Amino acid sequence: MAGETVQITGWVHEIRDLGGIVFVLIRDKNGITQLTAPSKKLSEEMMEDVRAARKETIVSVTGKVQESPKAPNGVEIIPDNIDIINVSQLPLPLDTTEKVDAEMDTRLDSRFMDLRKHDVSAIFKIKSQMLHTTRNYFYDHDFTEITTPKLVASATEGGTELFPITYFEKEAFLGQSPQLYKQMMMGTGLDRVFEIGQIFRAEEHDTLRHLNEALSIDAEMSFKSQQDAMDLLEDLIRNILADISDKCRGELEDLEHPLDVPSEPFPVVPYERVIDIVNSHDVEMNYGEDLNRAAEKVLGEEMGSYYFITEWPSAIKPFYVMPNVAEPEKSTAFDLMYRDLELSSGSQRVHDYETLYNQLEAKDLNPDSFEKYLEAFKYGMPPHSGWGMGADRLTMVLTGVKNIRETVLFPRDRRRLTP
Ligand code: ATP
Ligand code: AMO
């Protein structure tokens, strides 16, 4: 475009005033362009306008493109006109040029400015592409998108992680999972449903992989087995990896994150083998226990990227999980892991009313609180299977960030309720 007159509107990223020449870097969605203002060639008035452009101020510049090997992208613009559109206050809450590293809290407090950094906005462009691919995938595979209430009357994933709320004169909670609703949809004839929506969990832990408000991708299919649900999950992940590799090259480069795309089918490790692996690394884990953090770490080292854990004991899985027919102490539940991070849980579900009622009681839950859910199992409920996957955790894997807070615009954790 050398010789052409162009207009650029954006933020002043940096100014370097060398006296006789002033460089202004202008940033917009696509990158950074250098404005070069040599005092010899420009009017005094023009030079004053250029010097008035403070950091992060919004400007609109018209000027001529000129080749310049020393400039970023090999071109610079010699201004004919510069309009100051909205002046930024100083000092800035954050350094957008990333010369000074900011604490996570400072960044989250000024998230609008944090996202001006390309390696931060890259995370959200990748997350957006992941959600886009996920929706397309489900639509292409004959799923119906549903939305279910987040104001609910009962727990689904164990009673301790609920946020109670005031709901007129009744007790209510924020939803932990669309589990009960997606299962009820299997009694409608819709056959395949998915939901992408927020889940709320009053997690006590303050970790790098738990949030109090997370995004869940949920799928449920009628007349399908545990294996079908696992196949669906693996195929979706492969589609996401292919799309991100193809469409988010620039973002992956900004993040310096080569995407890990496994060529082999995801390995499957039964729970009992997991115990052997963990114990052989001198980490204690007994039959009937969930994976502790140390166990997750050694397993992650041993197993590499994506793998399934199957044959979980029925005793430690939720009431809606179908036990293995031949060995009922084992269940049809599976977890999908990425190294030491749990990405998804799923199973075949109980579809028989009596069994479901008994499993609720066996887990010390009151079937009366599940009355409306149980109704759906009395009048022709097909066998069904499904899973829920943490979209924020998947984004951690896709972007290589180590703190789940990086993957959420305005994360909610124990200490953070604003912005
Ligand atoms: P789910 O989604 O089923 O709740 P999860 O991946 O969120 O699973 P948890 O079951 O909450 O994970 O936790 C996984 C394991 O990590 C558990 O054994 C838990 O005790 C352990 N864990 C969680 N937080 C911490 C922590 N802060 N320090 C040590 N261990 C922790
Ligand atoms: P589970 O409780 O394992 O299963 O949740 C499914 C997935 O959701 C993500 N997740 C979280 N992510 C961030 N912060 C949290 N606090 C958090 N809690 C959960 C994880 C987890 O693997 N009803 C079942 C799913 C099903 O069987 O369909 C369920 O909710 O990635």
Side-chain angles (χ1 to χ4, degrees), residues 156-157 176-177 179 182 199 201 203 209-212 214-216 218-220 320 335 342-347 349 386-393 404:
T156 55
E157 309 303 321
Q176 289 173 306
S177 160
Q179 184 66 34
K182 63 177 180 172
I199 56 170
R201 298 184 179 200
E203 302 277 0
R209 61 194 194 288
H210 287 94
L211 290 167
N212 297 114
L215 187 67
S216 180
D218 275 272
E220 205 66 29
Y320 51 77
D335 277 8
E342 180 200 308
L343 284 181
S344 171
S345 298
S347 69
R349 324 301 192 178
W387 44 258
M389 172 158 63
D392 316 298
R393 288 191 182 176
I404 195 166

Side-chain angles (χ1 to χ4, degrees), residues 70-85:
K70 282 190 204 159
N73 320 318
V75 290
E76 59 190 9
I77 294 173
I78 310 295
D80 294 328
N81 183 51
I82 175 161
D83 278 333
I84 308 285
I85 292 176

Side-chain angles (χ1 to χ4, degrees), residues 338-409:
Y338 180 83
R339 300 190 181 278
D340 63 354
L341 182 70
E342 180 200 308
L343 284 181
S344 171
S345 298
S347 69
Q348 181 165 346
R349 324 301 192 178
V350 174
H351 57 274
D352 169 63
Y353 175 84
E354 297 292 333
T355 314
L356 194 55
Y357 193 97
N358 293 339
Q359 289 208 168
L360 275 166
E361 286 197 320
K363 301 265 176 200
D364 284 332
L365 294 163
N366 180 1
D368 293 346
S369 325
F370 293 85
E371 189 194 347
K372 295 287 186 286
Y373 162 74
L374 286 170
E375 279 278 293
F377 291 76
K378 288 184 186 168
Y379 307 100
M381 174 61 86
H384 58 282
S385 298
W387 44 258
M389 172 158 63
D392 316 298
R393 288 191 182 176
L394 179 61
T395 306
M396 291 172 76
V397 173
L398 298 174
T399 58
V401 300
K402 298 287 172 255
N403 186 340
I404 195 166
R405 291 161 187 78
E406 295 266 9
T407 72
V408 177
L409 288 173

Side-chain angles (χ1 to χ4, degrees), residues 6 31 43 48 56 71 86 98 112 123 196 210 218 239 250 259 281 290 316 334 355 367 378 381 409 414:
V6 296
S43 70
E48 258 170 44
E56 296 307 317
N86 204 347
E98 291 173 88
F112 67 92
I123 297 168
I196 301 177
H210 287 94
D218 275 272
N239 272 265
L259 205 58
H281 285 79
D290 209 340
I316 55 168
F334 59 87
T355 314
K378 288 184 186 168
M381 174 61 86
L409 288 173
R414 189 94 191 228

Side-chain angles (χ1 to χ4, degrees), residues 216-280:
S216 180
I217 301 169
D218 275 272
E220 205 66 29
M221 300 184 288
S222 288
F223 307 106
K224 296 289 176 193
S225 66
Q226 173 196 349
Q227 188 60 50
D228 296 323
M230 288 166 62
D231 290 346
L232 176 81
L233 183 55
E234 177 163 349
D235 195 43
L236 170 63
I237 301 258
R238 287 186 184 282
N239 272 265
I240 290 170
L241 292 174
D243 265 7
I244 301 284
S245 308
D246 180 36
K247 295 174 182 155
C248 298
R249 258 179 238 155
E251 286 76 16
L252 292 168
E253 270 169 33
D254 282 343
L255 288 161
E256 296 174 26
H257 179 63
L259 205 58
D260 180 357
V261 184
S263 50
E264 299 292 317
F266 298 174
V268 177
V269 225
Y271 174 84
E272 282 179 22
R273 172 90 190 101
V274 166
I275 295 184
D276 290 342
I277 295 172
V278 168
N279 289 162
S280 74

Side-chain angles (χ1 to χ4, degrees), residues 408-419:
V408 177
L409 288 173
F410 301 105
R412 292 291 174 255
D413 65 23
R414 189 94 191 228
R415 294 172 298 117
R416 185 167 281 281
L417 200 54
T418 57

